[in-house]
């Protein structure tokens, strides 16, 4: 999960948003069912950042609200 998150961060910094999203989602899928809420919320925040940069504010807000559940 950490490696996928790191690769996502590299892709994000290079402006490769689709690639970053794929890495972050892969990391989230790995974490499903594990008791790692802080890491899950971190990844959701990163996904929200991508969505916001793409002008998809409603979806970004949904990701952020999921962090509160």
């Amino acid at each position: 999960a950490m490696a996928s998150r790191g690769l996502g961060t590299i892709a994000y910094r290079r402006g490769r948003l689709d690639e970053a999203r794929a890495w972050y989602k892969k990391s989230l899928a790995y974490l499903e069912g594990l008791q790692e809420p802080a890491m899950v919320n971190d990844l959701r925040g990163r996904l929200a950042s991508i969505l916001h940069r793409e002008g998809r504010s409603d979806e970004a807000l949904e990701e952020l609200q999921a962090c509160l559940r």
Side-chain angles (χ1 to χ4, degrees):
M2 295 294 289
S4 296
R5 186 179 79 167
L7 290 169
T9 299
I10 291 168
Y12 181 85
R13 289 181 180 165
R14 291 183 175 173
R16 299 177 183 168
L17 301 183
D18 289 336
E19 186 179 336
R21 180 186 2 266
W23 283 116
Y24 292 153
K25 286 187 175 189
K26 182 176 183 173
S27 188
L28 272 174
Y30 176 79
L31 292 171
E32 280 183 4
L34 300 179
Q35 298 298 318
E36 296 290 341
M39 188 173 242
V40 168
N41 286 343
D42 174 72
L43 288 163
R44 287 191 179 281
R46 291 168 188 255
L47 286 170
S49 179
I50 291 170
L51 292 165
H52 178 71
R53 281 185 62 181
E54 294 174 334
R56 298 162 61 186
S57 298
D58 290 341
E59 293 172 76
L61 183 59
E62 287 176 22
E63 284 293 340
L64 293 173
Q65 287 174 332
C67 294
L68 301 174
R69 294 183 205 132

